[in-house]
Amino acid sequence: MSHILFALLSLFSFPALLEAQWKLRENVYVIESEWNDVTPAKRVKLTCNTPDEALPVYWKKGTELKGTGKTFIAEVKEFPDAGNYTCLRADTHEIISYEFFLITKVDSNGQMIRSMLRSFEEPNRTFLKCEAKNYSGIFKCSWMTENESPNVKFTIRSLKGSQGDVTCSSPVAHTDESVTEYTAQCQKENYCPFAEEHQPIEMFLEVIDEVEYENYTSSFFIRDIIKPDPPQCQYVATNGTVTWTYPRTWSTPKSYFPLTFRVKAESTEEHKIQVEVYEAEEQSFQIPIAGPKTRISVQARDRYYNSSWSEWSSLCR
């Protein structure tokens, strides 16, 4: 999709007139703008990339002439001030160099104002949610926008640590009414499911919408983001027993990666819904009272670590 950009970008400090400025990639910079009506614009010094000091040059932003000379001071405050500043030869109008400015909004304390993503209610109203079905080192990360902008671009990557890097696929968009959810599949290289994790994975998401920039982070161990797929279950009506098997996507051997289970029996009596939930360690459970219309389903969770419960399975009968 043309509106998705997936590339590796690096952040470096950039000494210039501004302290609140980052080099995102070659010729592309992020400027922190204090988002109020009283703070003055940031003054940014641009230098044309030519060794000839005597060469006549001029600066343009779009079609607007901004100034002449090898150096130029741009004042950047609001979104119309951002964008592409180009240095051209005065005689041939040939492009010599350019610098592109993005704006990130900050408050009076210098904290980034984040508004482009919509938060997930669970867990803890996070903006960047990552989940793993097992201990293979493969996981997915998701984020949401209120609506799908044709100009928004995303970059998701890991902040490298001593325990190896993470690679991610290009994000895929799924639109549901007014919300668009993006998902990227990621894998931690050289991950050992049997070894204890000592350093968390640091995921870093950058969001660019034309000239606006925001970033989001998520830090976790694989064990913290485990959410198994639901078990596959069936119900034996003769003795009221429900049985199930481990999810096909779960880690093996199951003796080393055991699951614990919940069994839900839901029935309707006199227009009232009654729900009973039972705990189970084994792969079968006898429902104490199950009528012919009782709806039964099962969910699973890592037995030894307090990770997330799976979704409920499809009905067992």
Side-chain angles (χ1 to χ4, degrees), residues 299-310:
Q299 65 177 177
R301 187 178 72 178
D302 188 307
R303 184 179 299 180
Y304 296 136
Y305 197 79
N306 190 26
S307 59
S308 297
W309 285 96
S310 73

Side-chain angles (χ1 to χ4, degrees), residues 132-138 191-194 197 222-223 226 249-251 257 302 305 307:
K133 295 181 178 182
N134 51 45
Y135 287 96
S136 65
I138 298 173
Y191 180 78
C192 177
F194 302 99
E197 296 174 278
I222 292 291
R223 63 177 180 264
I226 290 293
T249 54
W250 185 242
S251 297
F257 301 101
D302 188 307
Y305 197 79
S307 59

